Amino acid sequence: MPNPSYFFQQSLNALQLGSIYALIALGYTLVYGVLRMINFAHGDLFMVGGFFCFAAATYLGLSFVPTLLLVMALAALLGVLLERVAYRPLRNAPRVSAVITALGCGIFLEHLVLARYPYPQSVPELVHNVTWHVAGLSFSSLQLLIVGLSVGLMLLLDFVVRRTMVGLAMRAISWDMRVVPLLGVPVDRIITFTFALGGALGGAAGVMYSLAYPVVDPFMGVLVGWKAFIAAVLGGIGNIRGAMLGGFLLGGVEIFVAAYYPSTYRDFVAFALLLGLLILRPYGLLGRPPTQKV
Amino acid sequence: MNTPTITSRWTACGESILACRWILPFLLVVGGILSFVIPSQGLLNNYGQLILATVGINIILTVSLNLVNGYMGEFSVGHAGFMAVGAYISAFLTVKFFPYGAAPFYGFPAAVLAGGIGAAVLGLIIAALSFKTRGDYLAIVTLAFTMIVKSVLENIDAVGGALGLRGIEKLTTLPWVYFWTVSSVWIIRNLVYSRYGRGILTIREDEIAANLMGVNTRQAKVLAFVVSSFFAGVAGGLFAHQLQFINPSMFNLIKSTDILVMVYLGGVGSLAGSVLSASLYTVLLEALRPLGIYRMMFMPLMLILLMLFRPRGIMGLRELAWFVPKRDLDAVSPDAVPPPEIKRPLGNQPG
């Protein structure tokens, strides 16, 4: 018998997980939108973000806001570095080469962190967690913080892409990478900016994930990252609002399947649903099929 | 320029031993004899034999994935899923139907074959999905497929669920690995150079143009996926009976990534490259074991450097003369231009 308060509780959990997925999915979709390439190291940027958060809280003893800002800045820097190493030298090479270097960078990051921290680390509590009980429903301050902050970041990103000159340039490069430089758009700088933006969002997601599920391990970026990638594709990769939608959808499916069925079915049902959706709408919910020129 | 560049210089034997085609059957026989002699005479210790068997299994995996990712130009990340299906089916058969230590001689090959066929059936499903989706979306389909296989296996209690299947007999011997490795390379080589194989290549170059030319691209896709997943299943069966223990999380995305790395390291669309890179990668990973935890940092670093300086992998699109049918070597088509960095030897100048 579905219990309304249980349902509500699970909805909050779904929003929390979904907002983390959506933040990571945005990183994939931003890079894809501009370069038409999948950033396969993005899940590991997220993981490194989680470890930066752990380090900042443990060694530096920073509180929440400085930690978040520091981690976002470092992750953005790492994103830029990734672009320099894995993407820029290969921009004219076969598409798949850049994918492989990105995969390589991801594996390198995983094992770099693994060499330093061979065991999963638990993250200290950065935010004092208060639970409010209102009319039989309980809200935790952490959940509200995560959801609120993610939605805020998403709105900010949406504003940057749709209303600023940089966003205009990003959309223009996505439209046609060869003509846009002729019009005076500094393509390299815009691409760097895109990677920084994606990295910062990944770092923020890393912080939130390690607050919500306070253990970080070097391989957490693999599964969470790929799932977020699926969320991005589900919404239509390259489409920013699609990535948000896909993230919340995936979070919802995962939480509710685990809530009402044995939790071992969670991945199966989630992925089977996604597969079905992709068969019905091969280019994602909000994506449009690319026009093919013959 | 994306066809393998084959020049008639390969037919001449004097230049290098790699160009001597008659040496290949000789080497194959020697390899076959060695695969029996090494275990029986103890030429290598158990560790060395394990590495050899792993090399063979990795060659099967790499060559079969190269068919889809290299020759057909798709980006499949689902190879670990097919491998898991083959491993589970074959291990389940030998564990349930053949008493430990008393498997009849046909038991193991039949089980491995069944594993391959089971994987091939699933490959058919992926092929059907690939009619509608391409590129990054097909990558997602195969990704989701891997995850589904893993979570289905975790939920089947008959094969041990998440704990895995134990008590598998060690039936994978060097001669069997050798047999399957040689036959997988041979069959895929024959496929690639057949009419159907040309169809698979046209999908990589331009699917629309291929359709206009009358290539049955659906048939080609089915063929590529089925053959590729069959051999992944076979490799899974060999893997299970070598390790004697399997669980669903062995066949995760990290495994898929490993195979991808071997394919792109060797070069897309080069069988020689796949064989070379699978052997190199496996042996190097073992040789670097003393580095401990830093070993796994070294490998991706090497991969990044390789891609930066040789974006097409070790072999690129070139192929060793051993793997090319004679008629393709002899046929000098007007556009079969030798690669610019290689000077043609004087003896082979036309005219």
Side-chain angles (χ1 to χ4, degrees), chain A residues 32 97 111 229 264 268 279 282, chain B residues 132 136-137 140 151 155 296 311:
Chain A
Y32 189 88
S97 308
H111 290 95
F229 175 48
T264 45
F268 172 68
I279 294 165
Chain B
K132 269 193 101 165
D136 305 321
Y137 290 89
I140 295 308
S151 65
N155 284 299
M296 291 307 288

Side-chain angles (χ1 to χ4, degrees), chain A residues 239-262:
Chain A
N239 185 316
I240 285 177
R241 291 182 179 177
M244 299 177 196
L245 180 69
F248 282 112
L249 211 62
L250 185 65
V253 168
E254 284 207 340
I255 293 287
F256 280 109
V257 169
Y260 292 103
Y261 296 97

Side-chain angles (χ1 to χ4, degrees), chain A residues 24-284:
Chain A
I24 309 171
L26 280 172
Y28 281 108
T29 236
L30 273 176
V31 169
Y32 189 88
V34 170
L35 276 186
R36 300 277 145 205
M37 276 184 198
I38 299 167
N39 180 3
F40 274 111
H42 190 66
D44 296 299
L45 285 185
F46 155 77
M47 178 274 294
V48 172
F51 269 91
F52 279 152
C53 170
F54 157 77
T58 312
Y59 303 131
L60 303 179
L62 295 179
S63 60
F64 174 67
V65 176
T67 303
L68 181 70
L69 292 179
L70 181 70
V71 171
M72 282 176 74
L74 287 175
L77 217 58
L78 201 62
V80 173
L81 193 68
L82 178 76
E83 197 264 335
R84 280 293 158 105
V85 172
Y87 284 90
R88 188 166 299 185
L90 293 167
R91 208 173 285 163
N92 296 319
R95 244 172 75 95
V96 81
S97 308
V99 169
I100 297 299
T101 46
L103 265 178
C105 287
I107 301 173
F108 179 75
L109 283 177
E110 280 158 25
H111 290 95
L112 187 71
V113 175
L114 185 72
R116 179 72 186 79
Y117 299 106
Y119 306 104
Q121 305 285 325
S122 61
V123 181
E125 191 179 58
L126 272 176
V127 182
H128 183 59
N129 199 0
V130 195
T131 311
W132 295 293
H133 297 277
V134 183
L137 309 171
S138 47
F139 303 80
S140 87
S141 55
L142 187 63
Q143 279 182 327
L144 294 185
L145 177 74
I146 288 175
V147 175
L149 203 58
S150 314
V151 172
L153 282 174
M154 285 178 224
L155 290 178
L156 189 68
L157 179 76
D158 203 60
F159 174 78
V160 167
V161 172
R162 280 172 195 268
R163 295 270 182 272
T164 62
M165 280 304 277
V166 181
L168 185 68
M170 280 163 68
R171 284 179 289 142
I173 294 174
S174 167
W175 190 258
D176 192 328
M177 180 123 85
R178 272 172 300 181
V179 172
V180 162
L182 301 178
L183 305 173
V185 176
V187 172
D188 280 347
R189 234 186 295 161
I190 299 294
I191 288 176
T192 304
F193 178 76
T194 309
F195 271 86
L197 215 54
L201 289 175
V207 172
M208 289 177 207
Y209 190 87
S210 47
L211 290 182
Y213 314 96
V215 174
V216 286
D217 89 285
F219 292 102
M220 73 181 189
V222 180
L223 192 60
V224 177
W226 283 106
K227 279 184 177 170
F229 175 48
I230 285 182
V233 174
L234 187 69
I237 194 160
N239 185 316
I240 285 177
R241 291 182 179 177
M244 299 177 196
L245 180 69
F248 282 112
L249 211 62
L250 185 65
V253 168
E254 284 207 340
I255 293 287
F256 280 109
V257 169
Y260 292 103
Y261 296 97
S263 67
T264 45
Y265 289 175
R266 188 186 60 193
D267 283 3
F268 172 68
V269 176
F271 289 115
L273 264 179
L274 297 176
L275 212 55
L277 253 170
L278 268 187
I279 294 165
L280 293 177
R281 287 197 60 94
Y283 294 96

